[in-house]
Amino acid sequence: ELYKVLDSSDVVVQVLDARDPMGTRSRKLERELKTKEKRHKHLIFVLNKCDLIPTWCTRRWVRRLSREYPTLAFHASITNPFGKGALIQLLRQFATLHQDKQQISVGFVGYPNVGKSSIVNTLRKKKVCNVAPIPGETKVWQYITLFRRVFLIDCPGVVPPSGDSHLQCVLKGVVQVEKIEDPAQYVGGVLDAVKRQYIEAHYDV
């Protein structure tokens, strides 16, 4: 499904979780888009769930990732979104670039549970895709009209085989929480990934 979406898209939106942008980023996908056959496609990063991290942290990630690809901070919400206007404006610019086409297709790819369907729903201002805090909720792909010359593709979340350990998959939200038999065994991994002062400040310990 991932390669089907890449082949069908003029613009590829790689959705990253703002809490772990590098961990939810697929270098393999980026290399695929640099091949001769796909070099004409545009790649952009959308840093979703930016409401879950400090504003200064979002700014730094946007600045860093923008050195490689256009990057936007986003908070997916039908009632109170952030970054929606900037993303729509960018997609309009891409549509203008492709005057030779009747319409352009925009594909959303990324790890499970990073919020691909939520972003599509935010852009459309209504629920057009299944959304649940369960990895792998989107099972089939669909075309959704954003405006006259721009179509959105929603596709299944894909975890590229990048050698992630089971711990890494759990921390990235790839594994369904209900299927974790002993959550306590992953606490050490969380403590290793987050600086002590942030844990102490957040939990007031």
Side-chain angles (χ1 to χ4, degrees):
E1 291 288 343
L2 172 63
Y3 292 102
K4 185 179 172 185
V5 171
L6 292 183
D7 288 339
S8 304
S9 301
D10 300 296
V11 179
V12 178
V13 179
Q14 186 174 183
V15 183
L16 308 176
D17 190 321
R19 296 167 294 180
D20 185 10
M22 302 309 281
T24 51
R25 177 180 178 179
S26 173
R27 300 276 189 179
K28 183 179 179 182
L29 181 149
E30 292 163 32
R31 286 194 297 271
E32 178 71 22
L33 289 174
K34 287 179 180 177
T35 59
K36 187 177 179 181
E37 300 79 19
K38 297 185 174 67
R39 205 176 292 161
H40 62 284
K41 298 177 185 291
H42 305 280
L43 175 65
I44 64 175
F45 289 148
V46 168
L47 203 60
N48 195 29
K49 305 185 183 184
C50 67
D51 55 308
L52 300 179
I53 64 173
T55 305
W56 62 264
C57 190
T58 300
R59 275 199 301 266
R60 285 188 187 178
W61 275 119
V62 169
R63 194 182 313 132
R64 176 176 173 179
L65 293 169
S66 292
R67 295 174 194 155
E68 299 177 72
Y69 298 100
T71 304
L72 299 173
F74 205 90
H75 166 46
S77 168
I78 292 176
T79 55
N80 189 29
F82 175 81
K84 176 182 174 180
L87 182 54
I88 286 177
Q89 185 178 2
L90 187 57
L91 295 180
R92 285 189 188 276
Q93 288 175 0
F94 283 129
T96 304
L97 275 176
H98 290 276
Q99 289 292 350
D100 55 317
K101 295 190 173 190
Q102 283 189 311
Q103 69 275 325
I104 65 167
S105 297
V106 182
F108 291 80
V109 296
Y111 272 67
N113 212 27
V114 291
K116 296 180 298 299
S117 295
S118 298
I119 291 174
V120 173
N121 290 336
T122 299
L123 292 174
R124 290 281 289 142
K125 285 196 288 194
K126 61 183 179 180
K127 187 177 182 297
V128 291
C129 300
N130 288 335
V131 174
I134 301 170
E137 173 65 24
T138 312
K139 296 298 183 187
V140 294
W141 78 332
Q142 52 188 324
Y143 276 100
I144 298 142
T145 305
L146 180 58
F147 31 81
R148 191 169 59 89
R149 292 192 59 237
V150 178
F151 289 88
L152 309 179
I153 303 170
D154 185 54
C155 77
V158 175
V159 183
S162 57
D164 289 343
S165 67
H166 186 66
L167 171 63
Q168 288 171 320
C169 288
V170 169
L171 296 183
K172 292 175 186 179
V174 173
V175 179
Q176 294 184 21
V177 175
E178 295 79 9
K179 294 183 178 178
I180 299 175
E181 294 180 5
D182 182 17
Q185 67 177 305
Y186 302 105
V187 172
V190 174
L191 295 176
D192 289 339
V194 183
K195 289 183 179 179
R196 178 173 175 171
Q197 62 262 37
Y198 296 139
I199 295 281
E200 291 175 345
H202 185 79
Y203 292 103
D204 195 23
V205 293

PDB file of all heavy atoms in Angstrom, residues 56-90:
ATOM      1  N   TRP A  56       8.772  26.137  22.301  1.00  0.00           N
ATOM      2  CA  TRP A  56      10.179  26.324  21.923  1.00  0.00           C
ATOM      3  C   TRP A  56      10.725  25.065  21.247  1.00  0.00           C
ATOM      4  O   TRP A  56      11.535  25.137  20.325  1.00  0.00           O
ATOM      5  CB  TRP A  56      11.036  26.708  23.130  1.00  0.00           C
ATOM      6  CG  TRP A  56      11.099  25.675  24.238  1.00  0.00           C
ATOM      7  CD1 TRP A  56      10.337  25.635  25.368  1.00  0.00           C
ATOM      8  CD2 TRP A  56      11.972  24.534  24.307  1.00  0.00           C
ATOM      9  NE1 TRP A  56      10.668  24.553  26.136  1.00  0.00           N
ATOM     10  CE2 TRP A  56      11.672  23.856  25.519  1.00  0.00           C
ATOM     11  CE3 TRP A  56      12.971  24.028  23.482  1.00  0.00           C
ATOM     12  CZ2 TRP A  56      12.338  22.690  25.917  1.00  0.00           C
ATOM     13  CZ3 TRP A  56      13.625  22.858  23.868  1.00  0.00           C
ATOM     14  CH2 TRP A  56      13.321  22.210  25.069  1.00  0.00           C
ATOM     15  N   CYS A  57      10.254  23.921  21.714  1.00  0.00           N
ATOM     16  CA  CYS A  57      10.711  22.650  21.155  1.00  0.00           C
ATOM     17  C   CYS A  57      10.187  22.482  19.721  1.00  0.00           C
ATOM     18  O   CYS A  57      10.924  22.045  18.821  1.00  0.00           O
ATOM     19  CB  CYS A  57      10.222  21.507  22.045  1.00  0.00           C
ATOM     20  SG  CYS A  57      10.943  19.912  21.660  1.00  0.00           S
ATOM     21  N   THR A  58       8.924  22.839  19.515  1.00  0.00           N
ATOM     22  CA  THR A  58       8.345  22.783  18.161  1.00  0.00           C
ATOM     23  C   THR A  58       9.124  23.670  17.210  1.00  0.00           C
ATOM     24  O   THR A  58       9.454  23.262  16.090  1.00  0.00           O
ATOM     25  CB  THR A  58       6.867  23.242  18.192  1.00  0.00           C
ATOM     26  OG1 THR A  58       6.122  22.391  19.062  1.00  0.00           O
ATOM     27  CG2 THR A  58       6.249  23.207  16.800  1.00  0.00           C
ATOM     28  N   ARG A  59       9.441  24.902  17.642  1.00  0.00           N
ATOM     29  CA  ARG A  59      10.183  25.849  16.796  1.00  0.00           C
ATOM     30  C   ARG A  59      11.534  25.280  16.377  1.00  0.00           C
ATOM     31  O   ARG A  59      11.947  25.398  15.222  1.00  0.00           O
ATOM     32  CB  ARG A  59      10.377  27.183  17.523  1.00  0.00           C
ATOM     33  CG  ARG A  59       9.209  28.150  17.382  1.00  0.00           C
ATOM     34  CD  ARG A  59       9.629  29.573  17.697  1.00  0.00           C
ATOM     35  NE  ARG A  59      10.147  29.681  19.056  1.00  0.00           N
ATOM     36  CZ  ARG A  59       9.416  30.038  20.112  1.00  0.00           C
ATOM     37  NH1 ARG A  59       8.136  30.327  19.956  1.00  0.00           N
ATOM     38  NH2 ARG A  59       9.946  30.118  21.307  1.00  0.00           N
ATOM     39  N   ARG A  60      12.213  24.653  17.330  1.00  0.00           N
ATOM     40  CA  ARG A  60      13.543  24.099  17.026  1.00  0.00           C
ATOM     41  C   ARG A  60      13.450  22.952  16.025  1.00  0.00           C
ATOM     42  O   ARG A  60      14.276  22.846  15.121  1.00  0.00           O
ATOM     43  CB  ARG A  60      14.215  23.618  18.316  1.00  0.00           C
ATOM     44  CG  ARG A  60      14.728  24.750  19.180  1.00  0.00           C
ATOM     45  CD  ARG A  60      15.540  24.214  20.344  1.00  0.00           C
ATOM     46  NE  ARG A  60      15.905  25.261  21.280  1.00  0.00           N
ATOM     47  CZ  ARG A  60      16.594  25.048  22.406  1.00  0.00           C
ATOM     48  NH1 ARG A  60      16.985  23.822  22.721  1.00  0.00           N
ATOM     49  NH2 ARG A  60      16.888  26.047  23.208  1.00  0.00           N
ATOM     50  N   TRP A  61      12.450  22.099  16.202  1.00  0.00           N
ATOM     51  CA  TRP A  61      12.308  20.973  15.270  1.00  0.00           C
ATOM     52  C   TRP A  61      11.949  21.463  13.868  1.00  0.00           C
ATOM     53  O   TRP A  61      12.466  20.951  12.875  1.00  0.00           O
ATOM     54  CB  TRP A  61      11.258  19.982  15.783  1.00  0.00           C
ATOM     55  CG  TRP A  61      11.803  18.979  16.750  1.00  0.00           C
ATOM     56  CD1 TRP A  61      11.434  18.790  18.051  1.00  0.00           C
ATOM     57  CD2 TRP A  61      12.829  18.009  16.491  1.00  0.00           C
ATOM     58  NE1 TRP A  61      12.170  17.781  18.623  1.00  0.00           N
ATOM     59  CE2 TRP A  61      13.026  17.289  17.681  1.00  0.00           C
ATOM     60  CE3 TRP A  61      13.609  17.700  15.375  1.00  0.00           C
ATOM     61  CZ2 TRP A  61      13.971  16.248  17.784  1.00  0.00           C
ATOM     62  CZ3 TRP A  61      14.550  16.675  15.473  1.00  0.00           C
ATOM     63  CH2 TRP A  61      14.724  15.969  16.661  1.00  0.00           C
ATOM     64  N   VAL A  62      11.064  22.437  13.795  1.00  0.00           N
ATOM     65  CA  VAL A  62      10.687  22.982  12.481  1.00  0.00           C
ATOM     66  C   VAL A  62      11.912  23.594  11.804  1.00  0.00           C
ATOM     67  O   VAL A  62      12.150  23.377  10.615  1.00  0.00           O
ATOM     68  CB  VAL A  62       9.557  24.031  12.619  1.00  0.00           C
ATOM     69  CG1 VAL A  62       9.351  24.784  11.309  1.00  0.00           C
ATOM     70  CG2 VAL A  62       8.256  23.351  13.043  1.00  0.00           C
ATOM     71  N   ARG A  63      12.712  24.342  12.574  1.00  0.00           N
ATOM     72  CA  ARG A  63      13.908  24.967  12.018  1.00  0.00           C
ATOM     73  C   ARG A  63      14.897  23.911  11.524  1.00  0.00           C
ATOM     74  O   ARG A  63      15.467  24.015  10.440  1.00  0.00           O
ATOM     75  CB  ARG A  63      14.572  25.854  13.082  1.00  0.00           C
ATOM     76  CG  ARG A  63      15.622  26.813  12.523  1.00  0.00           C
ATOM     77  CD  ARG A  63      16.294  27.631  13.629  1.00  0.00           C
ATOM     78  NE  ARG A  63      15.317  28.193  14.550  1.00  0.00           N
ATOM     79  CZ  ARG A  63      15.408  28.130  15.877  1.00  0.00           C
ATOM     80  NH1 ARG A  63      16.427  27.524  16.452  1.00  0.00           N
ATOM     81  NH2 ARG A  63      14.499  28.690  16.640  1.00  0.00           N
ATOM     82  N   ARG A  64      15.074  22.867  12.307  1.00  0.00           N
ATOM     83  CA  ARG A  64      16.048  21.822  11.953  1.00  0.00           C
ATOM     84  C   ARG A  64      15.596  21.016  10.729  1.00  0.00           C
ATOM     85  O   ARG A  64      16.366  20.809   9.790  1.00  0.00           O
ATOM     86  CB  ARG A  64      16.252  20.882  13.147  1.00  0.00           C
ATOM     87  CG  ARG A  64      17.176  19.717  12.848  1.00  0.00           C
ATOM     88  CD  ARG A  64      17.429  18.871  14.069  1.00  0.00           C
ATOM     89  NE  ARG A  64      18.170  17.667  13.734  1.00  0.00           N
ATOM     90  CZ  ARG A  64      18.538  16.748  14.618  1.00  0.00           C
ATOM     91  NH1 ARG A  64      18.236  16.908  15.903  1.00  0.00           N
ATOM     92  NH2 ARG A  64      19.201  15.667  14.248  1.00  0.00           N
ATOM     93  N   LEU A  65      14.341  20.578  10.732  1.00  0.00           N
ATOM     94  CA  LEU A  65      13.840  19.740   9.636  1.00  0.00           C
ATOM     95  C   LEU A  65      13.665  20.528   8.342  1.00  0.00           C
ATOM     96  O   LEU A  65      13.760  19.970   7.245  1.00  0.00           O
ATOM     97  CB  LEU A  65      12.521  19.088  10.048  1.00  0.00           C
ATOM     98  CG  LEU A  65      12.622  18.055  11.185  1.00  0.00           C
ATOM     99  CD1 LEU A  65      11.230  17.677  11.700  1.00  0.00           C
ATOM    100  CD2 LEU A  65      13.368  16.800  10.723  1.00  0.00           C
ATOM    101  N   SER A  66      13.428  21.836   8.468  1.00  0.00           N
ATOM    102  CA  SER A  66      13.224  22.678   7.286  1.00  0.00           C
ATOM    103  C   SER A  66      14.491  22.812   6.443  1.00  0.00           C
ATOM    104  O   SER A  66      14.432  23.223   5.287  1.00  0.00           O
ATOM    105  CB  SER A  66      12.743  24.076   7.694  1.00  0.00           C
ATOM    106  OG  SER A  66      11.434  24.004   8.227  1.00  0.00           O
ATOM    107  N   ARG A  67      15.633  22.469   7.027  1.00  0.00           N
ATOM    108  CA  ARG A  67      16.879  22.498   6.251  1.00  0.00           C
ATOM    109  C   ARG A  67      16.865  21.444   5.158  1.00  0.00           C
ATOM    110  O   ARG A  67      17.601  21.542   4.179  1.00  0.00           O
ATOM    111  CB  ARG A  67      18.083  22.263   7.177  1.00  0.00           C
ATOM    112  CG  ARG A  67      18.310  23.354   8.211  1.00  0.00           C
ATOM    113  CD  ARG A  67      19.421  22.946   9.160  1.00  0.00           C
ATOM    114  NE  ARG A  67      19.448  23.804  10.360  1.00  0.00           N
ATOM    115  CZ  ARG A  67      19.944  23.425  11.529  1.00  0.00           C
ATOM    116  NH1 ARG A  67      20.460  22.212  11.666  1.00  0.00           N
ATOM    117  NH2 ARG A  67      19.936  24.238  12.562  1.00  0.00           N
ATOM    118  N   GLU A  68      16.038  20.392   5.364  1.00  0.00           N
ATOM    119  CA  GLU A  68      15.993  19.290   4.403  1.00  0.00           C
ATOM    120  C   GLU A  68      14.743  19.329   3.524  1.00  0.00           C
ATOM    121  O   GLU A  68      14.827  19.153   2.308  1.00  0.00           O
ATOM    122  CB  GLU A  68      16.060  17.963   5.146  1.00  0.00           C
ATOM    123  CG  GLU A  68      17.330  17.777   5.958  1.00  0.00           C
ATOM    124  CD  GLU A  68      17.326  16.488   6.739  1.00  0.00           C
ATOM    125  OE1 GLU A  68      17.455  15.415   6.121  1.00  0.00           O
ATOM    126  OE2 GLU A  68      17.151  16.546   7.979  1.00  0.00           O
ATOM    127  N   TYR A  69      13.589  19.539   4.139  1.00  0.00           N
ATOM    128  CA  TYR A  69      12.317  19.568   3.403  1.00  0.00           C
ATOM    129  C   TYR A  69      11.405  20.619   4.034  1.00  0.00           C
ATOM    130  O   TYR A  69      11.555  20.940   5.223  1.00  0.00           O
ATOM    131  CB  TYR A  69      11.610  18.200   3.471  1.00  0.00           C
ATOM    132  CG  TYR A  69      12.395  17.068   2.842  1.00  0.00           C
ATOM    133  CD1 TYR A  69      13.134  16.193   3.631  1.00  0.00           C
ATOM    134  CD2 TYR A  69      12.408  16.869   1.458  1.00  0.00           C
ATOM    135  CE1 TYR A  69      13.868  15.150   3.070  1.00  0.00           C
ATOM    136  CE2 TYR A  69      13.137  15.832   0.882  1.00  0.00           C
ATOM    137  CZ  TYR A  69      13.858  14.977   1.691  1.00  0.00           C
ATOM    138  OH  TYR A  69      14.574  13.956   1.122  1.00  0.00           O
ATOM    139  N   PRO A  70      10.443  21.155   3.254  1.00  0.00           N
ATOM    140  CA  PRO A  70       9.466  22.073   3.862  1.00  0.00           C
ATOM    141  C   PRO A  70       8.796  21.394   5.052  1.00  0.00           C
ATOM    142  O   PRO A  70       8.372  20.234   4.951  1.00  0.00           O
ATOM    143  CB  PRO A  70       8.468  22.317   2.725  1.00  0.00           C
ATOM    144  CG  PRO A  70       9.217  22.031   1.475  1.00  0.00           C
ATOM    145  CD  PRO A  70      10.196  20.939   1.814  1.00  0.00           C
ATOM    146  N   THR A  71       8.745  22.095   6.184  1.00  0.00           N
ATOM    147  CA  THR A  71       8.224  21.500   7.425  1.00  0.00           C
ATOM    148  C   THR A  71       7.210  22.432   8.064  1.00  0.00           C
ATOM    149  O   THR A  71       7.457  23.632   8.203  1.00  0.00           O
ATOM    150  CB  THR A  71       9.370  21.226   8.423  1.00  0.00           C
ATOM    151  OG1 THR A  71      10.354  20.383   7.805  1.00  0.00           O
ATOM    152  CG2 THR A  71       8.844  20.532   9.675  1.00  0.00           C
ATOM    153  N   LEU A  72       6.071  21.872   8.464  1.00  0.00           N
ATOM    154  CA  LEU A  72       5.017  22.644   9.126  1.00  0.00           C
ATOM    155  C   LEU A  72       4.652  22.010  10.456  1.00  0.00           C
ATOM    156  O   LEU A  72       4.569  20.781  10.568  1.00  0.00           O
ATOM    157  CB  LEU A  72       3.757  22.687   8.251  1.00  0.00           C
ATOM    158  CG  LEU A  72       3.878  23.329   6.858  1.00  0.00           C
ATOM    159  CD1 LEU A  72       2.585  23.121   6.093  1.00  0.00           C
ATOM    160  CD2 LEU A  72       4.188  24.813   6.980  1.00  0.00           C
ATOM    161  N   ALA A  73       4.432  22.859  11.466  1.00  0.00           N
ATOM    162  CA  ALA A  73       3.901  22.379  12.744  1.00  0.00           C
ATOM    163  C   ALA A  73       2.389  22.282  12.620  1.00  0.00           C
ATOM    164  O   ALA A  73       1.761  23.105  11.954  1.00  0.00           O
ATOM    165  CB  ALA A  73       4.295  23.330  13.869  1.00  0.00           C
ATOM    166  N   PHE A  74       1.796  21.270  13.254  1.00  0.00           N
ATOM    167  CA  PHE A  74       0.366  21.027  13.070  1.00  0.00           C
ATOM    168  C   PHE A  74      -0.252  20.459  14.338  1.00  0.00           C
ATOM    169  O   PHE A  74       0.377  19.694  15.071  1.00  0.00           O
ATOM    170  CB  PHE A  74       0.172  20.024  11.920  1.00  0.00           C
ATOM    171  CG  PHE A  74      -1.171  20.111  11.237  1.00  0.00           C
ATOM    172  CD1 PHE A  74      -1.361  20.940  10.145  1.00  0.00           C
ATOM    173  CD2 PHE A  74      -2.244  19.357  11.684  1.00  0.00           C
ATOM    174  CE1 PHE A  74      -2.580  21.027   9.500  1.00  0.00           C
ATOM    175  CE2 PHE A  74      -3.482  19.436  11.060  1.00  0.00           C
ATOM    176  CZ  PHE A  74      -3.646  20.266   9.965  1.00  0.00           C
ATOM    177  N   HIS A  75      -1.484  20.893  14.585  1.00  0.00           N
ATOM    178  CA  HIS A  75      -2.300  20.263  15.634  1.00  0.00           C
ATOM    179  C   HIS A  75      -3.620  19.895  14.984  1.00  0.00           C
ATOM    180  O   HIS A  75      -4.398  20.765  14.595  1.00  0.00           O
ATOM    181  CB  HIS A  75      -2.516  21.218  16.805  1.00  0.00           C
ATOM    182  CG  HIS A  75      -3.613  20.791  17.756  1.00  0.00           C
ATOM    183  ND1 HIS A  75      -3.720  19.494  18.221  1.00  0.00           N
ATOM    184  CD2 HIS A  75      -4.641  21.483  18.302  1.00  0.00           C
ATOM    185  CE1 HIS A  75      -4.779  19.413  19.021  1.00  0.00           C
ATOM    186  NE2 HIS A  75      -5.356  20.600  19.084  1.00  0.00           N
ATOM    187  N   ALA A  76      -3.835  18.597  14.817  1.00  0.00           N
ATOM    188  CA  ALA A  76      -5.041  18.127  14.135  1.00  0.00           C
ATOM    189  C   ALA A  76      -6.251  18.238  15.054  1.00  0.00           C
ATOM    190  O   ALA A  76      -6.290  17.636  16.121  1.00  0.00           O
ATOM    191  CB  ALA A  76      -4.854  16.677  13.674  1.00  0.00           C
ATOM    192  N   SER A  77      -7.214  19.040  14.643  1.00  0.00           N
ATOM    193  CA  SER A  77      -8.457  19.212  15.403  1.00  0.00           C
ATOM    194  C   SER A  77      -9.486  19.847  14.477  1.00  0.00           C
ATOM    195  O   SER A  77      -9.182  20.817  13.785  1.00  0.00           O
ATOM    196  CB  SER A  77      -8.216  20.118  16.621  1.00  0.00           C
ATOM    197  OG  SER A  77      -9.445  20.507  17.200  1.00  0.00           O
ATOM    198  N   ILE A  78     -10.684  19.300  14.446  1.00  0.00           N
ATOM    199  CA  ILE A  78     -11.732  19.860  13.590  1.00  0.00           C
ATOM    200  C   ILE A  78     -12.198  21.207  14.124  1.00  0.00           C
ATOM    201  O   ILE A  78     -12.510  22.126  13.365  1.00  0.00           O
ATOM    202  CB  ILE A  78     -12.914  18.869  13.467  1.00  0.00           C
ATOM    203  CG1 ILE A  78     -12.462  17.625  12.683  1.00  0.00           C
ATOM    204  CG2 ILE A  78     -14.106  19.521  12.760  1.00  0.00           C
ATOM    205  CD1 ILE A  78     -13.513  16.541  12.571  1.00  0.00           C
ATOM    206  N   THR A  79     -12.216  21.363  15.460  1.00  0.00           N
ATOM    207  CA  THR A  79     -12.740  22.587  16.063  1.00  0.00           C
ATOM    208  C   THR A  79     -11.668  23.635  16.351  1.00  0.00           C
ATOM    209  O   THR A  79     -11.920  24.825  16.274  1.00  0.00           O
ATOM    210  CB  THR A  79     -13.471  22.260  17.383  1.00  0.00           C
ATOM    211  OG1 THR A  79     -12.569  21.528  18.233  1.00  0.00           O
ATOM    212  CG2 THR A  79     -14.721  21.426  17.115  1.00  0.00           C
ATOM    213  N   ASN A  80     -10.441  23.188  16.684  1.00  0.00           N
ATOM    214  CA  ASN A  80      -9.407  24.152  17.076  1.00  0.00           C
ATOM    215  C   ASN A  80      -8.041  23.742  16.522  1.00  0.00           C
ATOM    216  O   ASN A  80      -7.120  23.423  17.274  1.00  0.00           O
ATOM    217  CB  ASN A  80      -9.358  24.244  18.609  1.00  0.00           C
ATOM    218  CG  ASN A  80      -8.467  25.381  19.082  1.00  0.00           C
ATOM    219  OD1 ASN A  80      -8.317  26.379  18.392  1.00  0.00           O
ATOM    220  ND2 ASN A  80      -7.855  25.203  20.237  1.00  0.00           N
ATOM    221  N   PRO A  81      -7.886  23.765  15.194  1.00  0.00           N
ATOM    222  CA  PRO A  81      -6.630  23.296  14.593  1.00  0.00           C
ATOM    223  C   PRO A  81      -5.530  24.343  14.644  1.00  0.00           C
ATOM    224  O   PRO A  81      -5.786  25.524  14.842  1.00  0.00           O
ATOM    225  CB  PRO A  81      -7.036  23.016  13.148  1.00  0.00           C
ATOM    226  CG  PRO A  81      -8.113  24.028  12.881  1.00  0.00           C
ATOM    227  CD  PRO A  81      -8.867  24.185  14.180  1.00  0.00           C
ATOM    228  N   PHE A  82      -4.306  23.874  14.448  1.00  0.00           N
ATOM    229  CA  PHE A  82      -3.157  24.781  14.298  1.00  0.00           C
ATOM    230  C   PHE A  82      -2.372  24.320  13.076  1.00  0.00           C
ATOM    231  O   PHE A  82      -2.099  23.128  12.913  1.00  0.00           O
ATOM    232  CB  PHE A  82      -2.259  24.750  15.536  1.00  0.00           C
ATOM    233  CG  PHE A  82      -1.001  25.566  15.377  1.00  0.00           C
ATOM    234  CD1 PHE A  82      -1.036  26.934  15.565  1.00  0.00           C
ATOM    235  CD2 PHE A  82       0.199  24.963  15.011  1.00  0.00           C
ATOM    236  CE1 PHE A  82       0.112  27.701  15.394  1.00  0.00           C
ATOM    237  CE2 PHE A  82       1.359  25.721  14.842  1.00  0.00           C
ATOM    238  CZ  PHE A  82       1.308  27.097  15.039  1.00  0.00           C
ATOM    239  N   GLY A  83      -2.014  25.250  12.208  1.00  0.00           N
ATOM    240  CA  GLY A  83      -1.206  24.927  11.033  1.00  0.00           C
ATOM    241  C   GLY A  83      -2.021  24.581   9.803  1.00  0.00           C
ATOM    242  O   GLY A  83      -1.462  24.356   8.725  1.00  0.00           O
ATOM    243  N   LYS A  84      -3.342  24.570   9.931  1.00  0.00           N
ATOM    244  CA  LYS A  84      -4.199  24.188   8.801  1.00  0.00           C
ATOM    245  C   LYS A  84      -4.065  25.165   7.634  1.00  0.00           C
ATOM    246  O   LYS A  84      -3.890  24.751   6.476  1.00  0.00           O
ATOM    247  CB  LYS A  84      -5.660  24.124   9.278  1.00  0.00           C
ATOM    248  CG  LYS A  84      -6.659  23.835   8.171  1.00  0.00           C
ATOM    249  CD  LYS A  84      -8.073  23.835   8.723  1.00  0.00           C
ATOM    250  CE  LYS A  84      -9.099  23.702   7.607  1.00  0.00           C
ATOM    251  NZ  LYS A  84     -10.480  23.705   8.129  1.00  0.00           N
ATOM    252  N   GLY A  85      -4.116  26.452   7.912  1.00  0.00           N
ATOM    253  CA  GLY A  85      -4.031  27.460   6.853  1.00  0.00           C
ATOM    254  C   GLY A  85      -2.709  27.387   6.109  1.00  0.00           C
ATOM    255  O   GLY A  85      -2.670  27.497   4.878  1.00  0.00           O
ATOM    256  N   ALA A  86      -1.621  27.172   6.853  1.00  0.00           N
ATOM    257  CA  ALA A  86      -0.290  27.102   6.232  1.00  0.00           C
ATOM    258  C   ALA A  86      -0.181  25.883   5.314  1.00  0.00           C
ATOM    259  O   ALA A  86       0.394  25.965   4.226  1.00  0.00           O
ATOM    260  CB  ALA A  86       0.783  27.043   7.316  1.00  0.00           C
ATOM    261  N   LEU A  87      -0.751  24.741   5.750  1.00  0.00           N
ATOM    262  CA  LEU A  87      -0.688  23.530   4.929  1.00  0.00           C
ATOM    263  C   LEU A  87      -1.533  23.676   3.666  1.00  0.00           C
ATOM    264  O   LEU A  87      -1.094  23.306   2.563  1.00  0.00           O
ATOM    265  CB  LEU A  87      -1.157  22.317   5.751  1.00  0.00           C
ATOM    266  CG  LEU A  87      -1.109  20.962   5.036  1.00  0.00           C
ATOM    267  CD1 LEU A  87       0.275  20.686   4.456  1.00  0.00           C
ATOM    268  CD2 LEU A  87      -1.518  19.835   5.994  1.00  0.00           C
ATOM    269  N   ILE A  88      -2.730  24.253   3.795  1.00  0.00           N
ATOM    270  CA  ILE A  88      -3.586  24.460   2.622  1.00  0.00           C
ATOM    271  C   ILE A  88      -2.903  25.406   1.630  1.00  0.00           C
ATOM    272  O   ILE A  88      -2.914  25.177   0.416  1.00  0.00           O
ATOM    273  CB  ILE A  88      -4.967  25.014   3.051  1.00  0.00           C
ATOM    274  CG1 ILE A  88      -5.788  23.894   3.703  1.00  0.00           C
ATOM    275  CG2 ILE A  88      -5.721  25.604   1.860  1.00  0.00           C
ATOM    276  CD1 ILE A  88      -7.143  24.327   4.223  1.00  0.00           C
ATOM    277  N   GLN A  89      -2.278  26.464   2.132  1.00  0.00           N
ATOM    278  CA  GLN A  89      -1.579  27.418   1.271  1.00  0.00           C
ATOM    279  C   GLN A  89      -0.437  26.731   0.518  1.00  0.00           C
ATOM    280  O   GLN A  89      -0.221  26.970  -0.685  1.00  0.00           O
ATOM    281  CB  GLN A  89      -1.042  28.571   2.118  1.00  0.00           C
ATOM    282  CG  GLN A  89      -0.409  29.682   1.291  1.00  0.00           C
ATOM    283  CD  GLN A  89       0.080  30.834   2.155  1.00  0.00           C
ATOM    284  OE1 GLN A  89      -0.012  30.793   3.374  1.00  0.00           O
ATOM    285  NE2 GLN A  89       0.605  31.866   1.536  1.00  0.00           N
ATOM    286  N   LEU A  90       0.304  25.858   1.222  1.00  0.00           N
ATOM    287  CA  LEU A  90       1.408  25.147   0.584  1.00  0.00           C
ATOM    288  C   LEU A  90       0.899  24.199  -0.510  1.00  0.00           C
ATOM    289  O   LEU A  90       1.478  24.127  -1.599  1.00  0.00           O
ATOM    290  CB  LEU A  90       2.192  24.359   1.640  1.00  0.00           C
ATOM    291  CG  LEU A  90       3.484  23.675   1.184  1.00  0.00           C
ATOM    292  CD1 LEU A  90       4.461  24.676   0.571  1.00  0.00           C
ATOM    293  CD2 LEU A  90       4.147  22.948   2.350  1.00  0.00           C
TER     294      LEU A  90
END
